[in-house]
């Protein structure tokens, strides 16, 4: 009623912004304190004597050492992001094992010679800005530099601009890889002039952005590209970290492995991670049982900017979850359990709200609102995040809502189906299938479960079903 008088025509299912809550509170005599999930988590860590921000500030310059830049490759679809990442991986000069087995762990590090020194660079192995954005949404800023891949035969395309916007919003400097210069219709000069319209001016045009012509297909120009990355890092970025403390960083990819259990690729951002360390990553905790690198080799320790795949967590963290090494196992477990409790409460609050929504149901019946509820399960957290991001971006008429009521890593379980039954949701499995119990439950309850191994197909289907749900126009 109060909201109504304030001119806010909100239904019980709608989210309100912070200021509306504050106004609402003062109208009914309460002071509303807005606590973001990040603040809440910060308070939780502080109750364990952990203050990561203060730790950064207190860092003694003497302890800081140069760390490798962390690079994400972005750009329009088919402009060659994957090829560029492959070509870079092949240039690794130190790792002499030509044709060695490389593992996809979500990131890799290469060594290259730069002005007489051996320098390392870390690459996030999931191209595109979707994963980048999903991680940032979780408060994780892992990328120092973005390589913007633009095909010289195609020029600036919508996702080029999108990627650029994401990099700029994050304050991440860009190096432009003008790719496919081997093609007869390649026009690298045009790429340069097109990008000036977006404020990205090449050095040779008097700007401060490095452009490098490459052919990822032939491997041409890749060395120059690495050079440009290091020059950009050295020019303006103060990339240092203290390796001599307990490790902190970000989980960038994680999955459930049949033999090894939860495996999570983490990027160390400060300190050094060692086998045997007790760690907590989001709501997952455990002791580092083993670590492997991008070559599948076991490693005993990982310094700043080093990505490693960690075994030993009790569950699968999400991409973008921060991890940290704690004093002991108990502390790791307690932090994880407290976070679980916070999440469970939030979920319960949402679920309760959904189930008592007579007004919403009525609106549905009257055809005022339509809502498509989804549950997303996938094999790796990066894919789940990316799918969710893309689905939420589908543009539809105001009368239809898309809601992702649950998402997670691993097989589709009976509890997913139960949730789908309550909320009349459709279950999407990305590279995962239901276990036996879940399959039976889905059949019994008539829950629609769909399986995909290509993200675009999932998006396509959801988009058309959303459009199909639109009321016919008369
Ligand atoms: P992504 O969608 O940006 O990851 O693009 P891909 O790396 O999958 O490349 C898309 C297509 O362009 C593939 O068929 C590649 O073989 C091709 N391609 C990538 N780089 C080059 C290049 O330097 N020259 C030529 N001629 N083709 C390339």
């Amino acid at each position: 009623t109060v909201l109504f008088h304030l001119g806010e025509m909100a239904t019980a299912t709608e989210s309100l912004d912070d200021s509306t809550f504050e106004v609402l509170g003062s109208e009914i005599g309460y002071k509303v304190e807005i606590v973001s999930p990040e603040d809440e988590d910060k308070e939780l860590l502080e109750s364990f004597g952990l203050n990561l921000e203060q730790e950064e500030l207190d860092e003694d310059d003497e302890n800081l050492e140069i760390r490798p830049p962390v690079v994400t490759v972005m750009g329009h679809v088919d402009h060659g992001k994957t090829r560029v990442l492959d070509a870079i991986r092949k240039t690794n000069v130190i790792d002499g094992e030509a044709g060695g087995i490389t593992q996809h762990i979500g990131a890799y590090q290469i060594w290259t010679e730069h002005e007489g020194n051996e320098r390392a660079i870390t690459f996030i192995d999931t191209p595109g800005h979707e994963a980048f954005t999903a991680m940032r949404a979780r408060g994780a800023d892992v990328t120092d530099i973005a390589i913007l891949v633009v095909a010289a035969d195609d020029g600036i395309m919508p996702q080029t601009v999108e990627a650029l916007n994401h990099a700029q919003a994050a304050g991440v400097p860009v190096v432009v890889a003008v790719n496919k210069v081997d093609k007869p219709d390649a026009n690298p000069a045009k790429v340069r002039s097109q990008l000036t319209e977006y404020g990205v001016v090449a050095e040779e045009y008097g700007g401060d952005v490095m452009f490098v012509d490459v052919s990822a297909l032939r491997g041409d120009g890749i060395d120059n590209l690495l050079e440009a990355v290091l020059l950009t890092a050295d020019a303006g970025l103060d990339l240092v970290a203290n390796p001599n403390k307990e490790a902190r960083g970000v989980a960038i990819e994680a999955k459930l492995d049949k033999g090894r259990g939860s495996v999570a690729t983490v990027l160390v951002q400060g300190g050094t991670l060692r086998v045997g360390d007790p760690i907590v990553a989001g709501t997952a905790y455990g002791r580092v049982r083993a670590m492997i690198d991008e070559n599948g080799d076991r490693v005993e320790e990982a310094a700043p900017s080093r990505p490693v795949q960690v075994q030993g967590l009790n569950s699968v963290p999400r991409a973008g979850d921060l991890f940290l090494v704690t004093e002991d196992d108990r502390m790791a477990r307690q932090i994880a359990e407290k976070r679980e409790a916070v999440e469970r409460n939030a979920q319960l609050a949402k679920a309760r709200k959904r189930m008592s929504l007579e007004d919403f149901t009525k609106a549905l019946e009257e055809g005022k609102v339509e809502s498509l509820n989804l549950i997303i399960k996938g094999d790796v957290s990066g894919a789940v995040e990316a799918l969710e991001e893309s689905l939420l971006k589908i543009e539809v008429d105001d009368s239809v809502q898309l809601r992702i009521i649950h998402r997670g890593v691993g097989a589709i379980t009976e509890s997913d189906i139960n949730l789908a039954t309550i909320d009349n949701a459709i279950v999407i499995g990305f590279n995962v299938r239901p276990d036996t119990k879940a399959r039976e439950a889905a059949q019994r309850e008539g829950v629609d479960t769909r399986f995909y191994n290509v993200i675009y197909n999932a998006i396509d289907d959801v988009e058309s079903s959303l459009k199909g749900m639109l009321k016919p126009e008369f």
Side-chain angles (χ1 to χ4, degrees):
T1 309
V2 175
L3 281 174
F4 187 79
H5 286 300
L6 289 171
E8 193 77 39
M9 311 300 168
T11 66
T13 48
E14 257 166 61
S15 298
L16 300 174
D17 60 19
D18 293 354
S19 57
T20 308
F21 273 119
E22 276 162 356
V23 173
L24 177 61
S26 70
E27 285 290 315
I28 55 176
Y30 284 91
K31 185 178 181 308
V32 175
E33 191 189 338
I34 309 287
V35 183
S36 69
E38 293 78 30
D39 289 342
E40 197 169 4
D41 198 61
K42 232 168 71 187
E43 271 176 35
L44 191 150
L45 291 179
E46 272 169 24
S47 72
F48 285 89
L50 292 159
N51 187 333
L52 303 187
E53 272 169 27
Q54 199 56 42
E55 190 183 290
E56 288 283 298
L57 292 173
D58 291 347
E59 204 69 85
D60 199 340
D61 281 355
E62 271 175 31
N63 295 325
L64 295 175
E65 291 178 18
I66 291 186
R67 63 170 181 83
V70 179
V71 179
T72 298
V73 175
M74 303 189 201
H76 195 73
V77 64
D78 277 346
H79 278 199
K81 298 179 293 293
T82 310
R83 277 277 177 168
V84 165
L85 277 163
D86 286 346
I88 291 169
R89 202 195 309 249
K90 281 194 207 126
T91 64
N92 205 351
V93 292
I94 299 260
D95 176 24
E97 300 172 60
I101 308 156
T102 54
Q103 305 253 345
H104 173 88
I105 64 166
Y108 64 84
Q109 200 170 61
I110 57 115
W111 288 82
T112 183
E113 196 168 303
H114 178 69
E115 293 169 355
N117 298 315
E118 296 295 350
R119 296 273 301 265
I121 309 176
T122 302
F123 288 89
I124 303 293
D125 207 1
T126 314
H129 57 265
E130 285 84 2
F132 174 84
T133 316
M135 280 202 256
R136 282 195 71 223
R138 189 140 295 137
D141 281 319
V142 299
T143 302
D144 299 310
I145 293 175
I147 292 182
L148 184 65
V149 177
V150 188
D153 58 338
D154 209 17
I156 308 305
M157 297 300 276
Q159 285 167 43
T160 315
V161 178
E162 217 173 285
L164 187 61
N165 288 340
H166 285 287
Q168 283 171 340
V172 169
V174 172
V175 170
V176 182
V178 182
N179 190 31
K180 306 198 187 184
V181 292
D182 58 282
K183 285 201 156 185
D185 51 346
N187 190 346
K190 188 167 162 212
V191 173
R192 283 167 174 75
S193 71
Q194 280 183 325
L195 271 174
T196 56
E197 287 168 34
Y198 297 90
V200 179
V201 184
E203 281 190 331
E204 54 267 47
Y205 288 14
D208 58 359
V209 179
M210 300 195 69
F211 280 62
V212 184
D213 291 346
V214 301
S215 164
L217 190 69
R218 294 186 181 163
D220 296 345
I222 297 297
D223 287 345
N224 299 339
L225 183 60
L226 298 179
E227 182 89 15
V229 165
L230 289 172
L231 286 171
T232 303
D234 293 347
L237 305 174
D238 191 22
L239 303 179
V240 288
N242 174 7
N244 302 310
K245 62 176 186 184
E246 275 145 3
R248 283 100 181 67
V250 177
I252 52 178
E253 195 172 299
K255 63 178 180 189
L256 212 52
D257 182 277
K258 276 199 197 77
R260 297 177 298 161
S262 159
V263 290
T265 298
V266 301
L267 183 72
V268 177
Q269 294 185 300
T272 298
L273 184 63
R274 295 190 172 83
V275 171
D277 282 343
I279 75 169
V280 54
T283 56
Y285 67 93
R287 207 172 245 264
V288 179
R289 197 167 59 224
M291 300 193 287
I292 60 166
D293 66 10
E294 59 280 72
N295 301 314
D297 293 332
R298 277 177 176 264
V299 286
E300 287 301 312
E301 52 177 50
S305 294
R306 185 97 180 88
V308 280
Q309 196 183 59
V310 168
Q311 291 174 43
L313 289 169
N314 72 324
S315 64
V316 180
R318 287 175 297 197
D321 274 345
L322 303 181
F323 84 84
L324 52 112
V325 169
T326 55
E327 255 165 53
D328 51 28
D329 297 328
R330 201 164 142 253
M331 195 198 251
R333 196 191 69 230
Q334 284 177 341
I335 293 172
E337 282 172 355
K338 289 226 157 110
R339 282 178 176 159
E340 277 256 14
V342 169
E343 277 189 15
R344 216 170 23 241
N345 284 340
Q347 292 265 337
L348 274 178
K350 265 198 235 160
R352 266 199 301 276
K353 207 166 76 184
R354 266 196 305 271
M355 277 178 273
S356 64
L357 297 176
E358 290 88 4
D359 49 354
F360 179 66
T361 315
K362 215 167 114 218
L364 256 178
E365 279 163 5
E366 289 166 2
K368 284 191 199 142
V369 204
E370 289 273 358
S371 149
L372 177 63
N373 295 344
L374 294 180
I375 293 174
I376 306 176
K377 295 297 287 277
D379 57 339
V380 292
S381 43
V384 174
E385 314 263 328
L387 183 56
E388 177 171 5
E389 277 272 321
S390 312
L391 288 174
L392 290 174
K393 266 193 251 154
I394 296 175
E395 286 191 14
V396 283
D397 191 285
D398 279 346
S399 64
V400 183
Q401 278 190 22
L402 176 71
R403 297 198 301 161
I404 291 161
I405 58 170
H406 178 63
R407 84 283 296 150
V409 175
I412 296 163
T413 62
E414 197 178 4
S415 90
D416 295 329
I417 302 295
N418 289 339
L419 190 60
T421 315
I422 295 168
D423 279 323
N424 204 12
I426 292 167
V427 183
I428 290 188
F430 184 74
N431 280 333
V432 291
R433 300 238 139 215
D435 58 27
T436 317
K437 276 189 167 170
R439 195 164 41 239
E440 286 166 8
Q443 235 158 27
R444 193 173 58 237
E445 304 288 345
V447 171
D448 188 7
T449 40
R450 297 163 163 268
F451 312 103
Y452 298 92
N453 41 34
V454 178
I455 285 194
Y456 292 106
N457 293 346
I459 297 166
D460 247 25
D461 280 4
V462 171
E463 184 158 10
S464 31
S465 96
L466 278 171
K467 305 251 152 99
M469 283 172 76
L470 293 171
K471 294 268 165 285
E473 282 174 19
F474 297 106

